[in-house]
Amino acid sequence: MLDPIINFLNEIFWGYVLIYGLLAVGLFFTIRLGFIQFVQFGEMFRAVIGSKKNDSAGITPFQALCTSLASRVGTGNLAGVAVALYLGGPGAIFWMWMVALVGMATAYSESTLAQLYKTRNENGEYRGGPAFYIARGLGAPWAGAVFSVCLILAFGLVFNAVQANSIADAFQGAFGVDKLWVGLALAALTGIVIFGGIRQIARVAEIIVPFMAVVYLLVALYVVVINIGEVPGMLGHIVQSAFGLDAAGGGIAGALLNGVKRGLFSNEAGMGSAPNIAAVATPDPHHPSSQGFVQALGVFIDTILICTATALMILLSGVMVPGSELTGTPLTQAAMSVHIGGAGQYFIAIAILFFAFTSIIGNYSYAENAMVFLRLGNRTGLAVLRVGVLAMVVWGAFESVATVFNAADASMGLMASVNLIAIVLLSGTVVKLTRDYRAQRKAGKEPLFHAADYPELSGKIDQSIWNRHDPG
């Protein structure tokens, strides 16, 4: 009985609301904020690497970037890109780029709001995210609760089963390891990390994410260098295919639809996921906008760098030929085998392990914030959540039930829809914060947030957090 309802919801969310809604909201913020992702691109790096202050209540901006990338950079960057190419042709990559470029403005906006409306948990640690700015900024705690439940179901539980399934498939194919053993080992590793809480997750992400991203990009750079003569033509091929000018591509409709879908699923801009970790950071400069810049950079790294790297490695390999049924992970593995020989399938299996494992711990960190909002963030509540995550990891490694995964898609569709409405309604606050930040920079000052300049926020934000201009 549930299948038709879930399928109908997914058709509405993913066929209409999110495809057009996320693009429209991205364009809305791009224009309203004066093309901030291009004009202030350098500020994104300064907000990450310029941080010198420490605050026992939060994590560093770099840790927040790595934790959000842990969730963003997953199997979508490997298998998802391959599926986009298979269904939409090379032109799909162009539309993934476009989605990321406008999505950077959305990511900036939602994470800026998450910083502004953040609060403290019972241990005095920063917590926040869309549920908090929906409840505090819009006075709609019921909508914040709906968002939180959907986030826990989708990101906290089911999507972690999906990531575990990808790891188990890759390891069984490359090394012949039984899926159950992969699931048990993965659950053990996950438990070691998540039982240490968000701080432990941030410390692990801070080490693993830069390592996995740099190694993957170095291999991609090697492939590009040895095929440098073909790269300009391949980039032209991508652009031509995007507008249906290449008969061998997926046509403009196929390229646009698949590029947009895969791009949105990979970088998560506007979904309301990354703001949950953005709120946990101590921004430096001590202004909400600085963490917005950090998360906009996350979208750029995820799609413009890592997804493009996968696409070029596949396209330059020559394994995509008319009539071929290769798609997903096997397509990426076949491409890598062309470039680096028999080690290719093993390299992709290891890459999936790193990408998917970090997604599991990153997704969990989002769910923990949602538990705090629902007033279930005590020791018992978090223990139940953590055990549930580990159970889903083991189950997901060897089992695949379409109804459950479709339900997670519907949950994510609902939470994203709620988040998009909220950030558009709160866009005036984002604009004011952005102008304030840029004006202080232009005057040669280090931007600081002064709550007194925002009387309309009285009673909605935690004054004790923002009155401390020198955290630590």
Side-chain angles (χ1 to χ4, degrees), residues 258-458:
N258 288 287
V260 170
K261 273 187 176 179
R262 295 297 163 182
L264 294 173
F265 193 80
S266 179
N267 65 54
E268 300 178 15
M271 294 289 185
S273 51
N276 289 278
I277 201 65
V280 178
T282 301
D284 189 8
H286 202 241
H287 190 289
S289 288
S290 68
Q291 186 54 218
F293 286 121
V294 170
Q295 295 306 325
L297 180 62
V299 174
F300 178 85
I301 293 171
D302 171 84
T303 305
I304 306 298
L305 294 184
I306 297 178
C307 286
T308 301
T310 302
L312 286 175
M313 287 192 288
I314 292 173
L315 292 171
L316 291 169
S317 70
V319 296
M320 277 191 63
V321 294
S324 172
E325 293 300 315
L326 271 180
T327 187
T329 302
L331 175 57
T332 310
Q333 286 179 316
M336 285 304 301
S337 296
V338 170
H339 296 303
I340 62 175
Q345 66 171 333
Y346 304 119
F347 175 79
I348 294 300
I350 298 299
I352 285 176
L353 170 64
F354 278 106
F355 284 20
F357 172 69
T358 54
S359 287
I360 290 170
I361 61 175
N363 289 346
Y364 165 79
S365 72
Y366 299 163
E368 185 171 307
N369 262 4
M371 292 287 283
V372 171
F373 178 82
L374 294 171
R375 303 184 188 278
L376 298 173
N378 52 38
R379 185 173 297 181
T380 303
L382 293 182
V384 171
L385 174 66
R386 290 163 182 169
V387 170
V389 169
L390 300 185
M392 291 299 285
V393 166
V394 174
W395 175 79
F398 67 90
E399 194 66 67
S400 177
V401 179
T403 300
V404 176
F405 295 157
N406 286 341
D409 281 342
S411 293
M412 185 166 70
L414 178 57
M415 64 175 261
S417 299
V418 171
N419 183 56
L420 288 177
I421 294 168
I423 61 176
V424 169
L425 292 175
L426 293 169
S427 61
T429 301
V430 178
V431 171
K432 185 174 179 178
L433 287 166
T434 306
R435 288 174 179 166
D436 177 31
Y437 188 97
R438 295 182 66 179
Q440 291 187 60
R441 274 286 187 221
K442 194 172 183 180
K445 302 175 183 177
E446 178 177 283
L448 290 175
F449 176 78
H450 301 278
D453 295 336
Y454 297 79
E456 68 276 15
L457 297 178
S458 178

Side-chain angles (χ1 to χ4, degrees), residues 7-277:
N7 290 336
F8 173 74
L9 288 174
N10 279 330
E11 185 179 345
I12 296 298
F13 285 135
W14 294 102
Y16 302 98
V17 176
L18 294 181
I19 293 298
Y20 302 109
L22 284 162
L23 279 175
V25 170
L27 286 168
F28 170 77
F29 279 109
T30 295
I31 295 168
R32 192 157 189 205
L33 298 175
F35 296 86
I36 191 170
Q37 65 269 52
F38 307 109
V39 176
Q40 297 291 312
F41 188 67
E43 192 66 35
M44 298 176 193
F45 292 91
R46 181 155 47 177
V48 175
I49 64 178
S51 178
K52 302 179 185 66
K53 297 173 183 174
N54 187 33
D55 184 351
S56 60
I59 61 177
T60 69
F62 181 68
Q63 287 177 326
L65 173 66
C66 290
T67 307
S68 67
L69 281 173
S71 176
R72 282 191 174 108
V73 179
T75 53
N77 297 75
L78 298 170
V81 171
V83 170
L85 285 169
Y86 176 77
L87 295 175
I93 305 307
F94 175 86
W95 294 112
M96 287 182 77
W97 294 338
M98 295 303 103
V99 164
L101 291 176
V102 298
M104 289 168 72
T106 309
Y108 163 83
S109 301
E110 61 183 356
S111 291
T112 295
L113 288 169
Q115 263 291 312
L116 176 66
Y117 288 100
K118 69 184 179 185
T119 183
R120 300 176 191 272
N121 67 3
E122 59 184 22
N123 298 318
E125 299 165 330
Y126 297 142
R127 293 293 183 267
F132 293 80
Y133 59 68
I134 290 168
R136 291 169 160 239
L138 296 177
W142 64 270
V146 170
F147 177 93
S148 297
V149 171
C150 289
L151 186 144
I152 291 167
L153 289 174
F155 282 83
L157 299 173
V158 180
F159 289 158
N160 284 338
V162 176
Q163 299 291 348
N165 192 265
S166 298
I167 294 173
D169 278 346
F171 266 66
Q172 186 179 59
F175 305 106
V177 182
D178 185 85
K179 287 185 175 184
L180 177 59
W181 290 112
V182 173
L184 292 171
L186 188 58
L189 286 173
T190 302
I192 291 170
V193 178
I194 67 174
F195 272 89
I198 287 182
R199 236 174 234 291
Q200 173 83 340
I201 292 169
R203 284 193 291 264
V204 172
E206 183 179 31
I207 297 169
I208 295 180
V209 171
F211 169 77
M212 74 181 192
V214 168
V215 169
Y216 191 73
L217 290 173
L218 283 175
V219 172
L221 183 62
Y222 162 76
V223 171
V224 168
V225 169
I226 63 173
N227 296 280
I228 194 66
E230 300 176 46
V231 172
M234 189 58 69
L235 293 174
H237 180 44
I238 288 173
V239 175
Q240 283 186 322
S241 299
F243 297 96
L245 302 176
D246 185 348
I252 186 169
L256 175 62
L257 180 64
N258 288 287
V260 170
K261 273 187 176 179
R262 295 297 163 182
L264 294 173
F265 193 80
S266 179
N267 65 54
E268 300 178 15
M271 294 289 185
S273 51
N276 289 278
I277 201 65

